Amino acid sequence: MFPAVSAGSATIEVIEPATERVLEQLPELGAEDVDAAVAKAKAAFPAWRAVAPAERAALLHRLADAVAERNGELATLEARNAGKPIGNARGEIGMVAECFRYYAGGVERLTGKTIPVAGGVDMTFREPMGVIGMITPWNFPLVIAAWKLAPALAAANTVVLKPAMLTPLTAIEFEKLALEAGLPEGVLNVVPGSGSVCGQRLVEHPDVAKIAFTGSTEVGRGIAEAAAATIKRVTLELGGKSANVVFADADVEKAARAAPYAVFDNSGQDCCARSRIMVEKPAVDEFLAALRDEVEGMKVGDPLDESTVMGPLISAGHREEVASFVPDDAPVAIRGSAPEGPGFWFPPTVLSPVSNDDRAAREEIFGPVAAVIPFEGEAEAVALANDTIYGLSGSVWTRDGAKALRMARAIDTGVLSINSNSSVRVSTPFGGFKQSGIGRELGPDAMEHYTEVKNVYYATEE
Ligand code: TAP
């Protein structure tokens, strides 16, 4: 099923976080494997860009159909490898198919412009860049890859994808599915290798035109630095520390019942986690009571059980990091349940009250730990929400529409929802302000980020 491990070669074990058992063994890849994949992608590029647009669109539709048909199998693999509830995994694989359909529809709409000039005709073309390198994280493995793959392939680029080594299995399956669906050999190449070796080589490779990266701000910073050597184009989707701002005039009960899913979804391993829950002082008691009820009722357990809403963390090391945010003297106000081992379990935990200066409010925890930060009035809400190096997502809960829109405009963030925790839709742009990243994914403009603008002047005067 997966790449064969030859006798005597070094291997990497892929672990199932809910059981701590080895799910798969993969050969350890090196820089030479990246070089080979880039060479294949480079060789495949001229023929791929020459494929007629309608045919390229049809191929991407076929791939979407293949993913949809295999949803159950891919979702089970994702749920086991990433430790996410099976219902969520099915939703993510559904979004992979949706993403390919959306950008298949864009293939024939990627147009240039004509510009009035003297003495001739000036026109622009959206040219594919060539080989795109993609580096993706472990928390939403295949769906985040799809956000990059679909627009890049639709815009006629070829790709080398390096998935996270903690969760490479669905990307490996996806490459096979793409070939079965008719994508020409070499157009999509998956290299399941480590970031420090294979990721680094991809970023440095002179034949890679662009790196599309999703991951931590720290690694993203290193990628931007390394990419500068070859003036590579880079888009970065990085960390977050988003605010969930609840005003006293909101439907406080509704906001409180929704809040856990805005932090603890995917066990809190979500760049969009609204882990700073800011509550206007008069509403704090009502909010905490409803929040307690909801958190204590959350079913934490086996990802393959349909009733599970939260699975384990990704690894033992990550669980240790998350635990460091809940020292013995932490103001733990609510603690949900979690199974005993084996498995990298951590209970959903709410700290309250927390100051915005505390470590739990400043650093991305990337686990099921939320901080409740009381505030007074709109001005303080804006100041606190913006007092962070990040700016990825966020929510505002209020019944006052004008206030909601003032807040939405004032908060420095790429994505904001009013009376909702929704962050991501295939048809709307997604990405961050400040140290949450550079560029946007999804939405109608994403294909353009995988093109270069070419300006052509045609002299028409005799
Ligand atoms: P990282 O540790 O940054 O890893 C992300 C990817 O980068 C992995 O594939 C990793 O490879 C690779 N990598 C590591 N070092 C590298 C290097 N020197 N050169 C090139 N590639 C390298 O992030 P993570 O722990 O997987 O994911 C969690 C982070 O991603 C969080 O900060 C989260 O907020 C962020 N995230 C952001 C978003 C968006 S859309 N903004 C979405 C999801 C996650 P290996 O792991 O295989 O070694």
Side-chain angles (χ1 to χ4, degrees):
M1 181 179 176
F2 294 105
V5 175
S6 51
S9 67
T11 55
I12 289 181
E13 290 181 338
V14 180
I15 305 292
E16 180 171 29
T19 61
E20 302 186 33
R21 286 200 291 263
V22 177
L23 198 53
E24 200 59 55
Q25 283 206 331
L26 298 175
E28 190 175 336
L29 303 184
E32 64 285 1
D33 298 295
V34 175
D35 290 352
V38 173
K40 273 176 78 180
K42 189 179 176 184
F45 176 61
W48 178 238
R49 77 177 299 190
V51 170
E55 199 184 320
R56 194 160 60 241
L59 270 169
L60 297 182
H61 274 299
R62 275 217 291 282
L63 183 48
D65 290 345
V67 170
E69 276 160 26
R70 301 257 306 265
N71 184 306
E73 191 185 321
L74 288 166
T76 302
L77 191 59
E78 199 80 297
R80 292 189 67 190
N81 192 180
K84 61 180 71 223
I86 184 70
N88 295 24
R90 276 196 294 265
E92 287 173 30
I93 302 300
M95 193 187 194
V96 172
E98 199 192 331
C99 200
F100 274 88
R101 289 211 174 92
Y102 182 78
Y103 290 106
V107 172
E108 292 176 287
R109 296 192 186 97
L110 187 66
T111 55
K113 293 178 179 162
T114 53
I115 300 167
V117 290
V121 176
D122 199 282
M123 55 201 134
T124 64
F125 294 85
R126 286 273 172 189
E127 303 285 14
M129 292 172 150
V131 180
I132 309 290
M134 301 178 176
I135 301 177
T136 49
W138 46 260
N139 56 343
F140 296 104
L142 193 57
V143 73
I144 284 184
W147 298 358
K148 302 175 193 325
L149 288 168
L153 294 172
N157 300 280
T158 57
V159 170
V160 176
L161 165 67
K162 193 216 85 61
M165 277 320 288
L166 288 168
T167 57
L169 301 185
T170 47
I172 294 170
E173 280 305 291
F174 183 81
E175 184 185 30
K176 292 181 205 157
L177 211 62
L179 285 173
E180 284 165 28
L183 209 69
E185 180 87 28
V187 169
L188 164 64
N189 306 274
V190 175
V191 182
S194 75
S196 55
V197 175
C198 294
Q200 184 78 21
R201 177 62 188 153
L202 199 54
V203 176
E204 289 168 354
H205 202 296
D207 289 338
V208 173
K210 168 176 170 161
I211 292 289
F213 171 78
T214 297
S216 62
T217 295
E218 191 188 346
V219 173
R221 192 174 292 117
I223 285 177
E225 280 171 19
T230 46
I231 315 291
K232 255 183 202 64
R233 282 79 181 125
V234 178
T235 45
L236 302 172
E237 297 289 355
L238 308 175
K241 192 71 200 175
S242 298
N244 189 0
V245 183
V246 182
F247 284 98
D249 64 4
D251 182 337
V252 173
E253 159 105 18
K254 188 175 172 196
R257 293 205 175 271
Y261 307 99
V263 197
F264 303 144
D265 232 20
N266 213 43
S267 306
Q269 303 165 128
D270 181 350
C271 55
C272 291
R274 286 134 166 97
S275 52
R276 291 187 299 148
I277 305 177
M278 294 169 39
V279 185
E280 202 168 23
K281 281 182 181 163
V284 168
D285 290 345
E286 182 190 353
F287 185 90
L288 280 175
L291 185 67
R292 168 169 291 106
D293 198 37
E294 199 65 34
V295 172
E296 289 178 350
M298 284 178 81
K299 166 98 189 288
V300 181
D302 178 5
L304 297 181
D305 181 334
E306 295 286 347
S307 63
T308 291
V309 294
M310 197 180 108
L313 290 170
I314 192 69
S315 67
H318 187 52
R319 181 171 57 185
E320 246 175 70
E321 269 175 52
V322 171
S324 76
F325 286 89
V326 192
D328 289 344
D329 60 350
V332 176
I334 305 169
R335 184 174 267 145
S337 65
E340 298 292 311
F344 308 124
W345 306 102
F346 198 92
T349 303
V350 178
L351 308 179
S352 178
V354 171
S355 151
N356 200 52
D357 297 326
D358 294 346
R359 180 171 171 243
R362 303 215 71 78
E363 295 178 26
E364 185 180 43
I365 301 174
F366 225 54
V369 179
V372 173
I373 304 169
F375 71 91
E376 262 176 291
E378 203 175 322
E380 191 185 13
V382 172
L384 289 175
N386 285 339
D387 183 15
T388 169
I389 60 168
Y390 297 110
L392 189 55
S393 69
S395 293
V396 174
W397 297 79
T398 172
R399 288 191 172 96
D400 178 339
K403 179 158 71 179
L405 285 175
R406 281 196 302 275
M407 290 292 296
R409 297 299 305 276
I411 296 178
D412 300 329
T413 188
V415 176
L416 188 123
S417 302
I418 297 166
N419 297 330
S420 158
N421 294 322
S422 157
S423 290
V424 177
R425 289 159 298 269
V426 168
S427 58
T428 61
F430 178 76
F433 279 33
K434 302 195 279 186
Q435 293 189 34
S436 286
I438 298 175
R440 293 292 179 273
E441 297 194 299
L442 301 175
D445 302 330
M447 278 174 70
E448 295 189 357
H449 302 312
Y450 292 98
T451 64
E452 293 281 7
V453 175
K454 182 180 286 167
N455 178 24
V456 174
Y457 175 72
Y458 194 153
T460 53
E461 287 184 346
E462 295 282 315

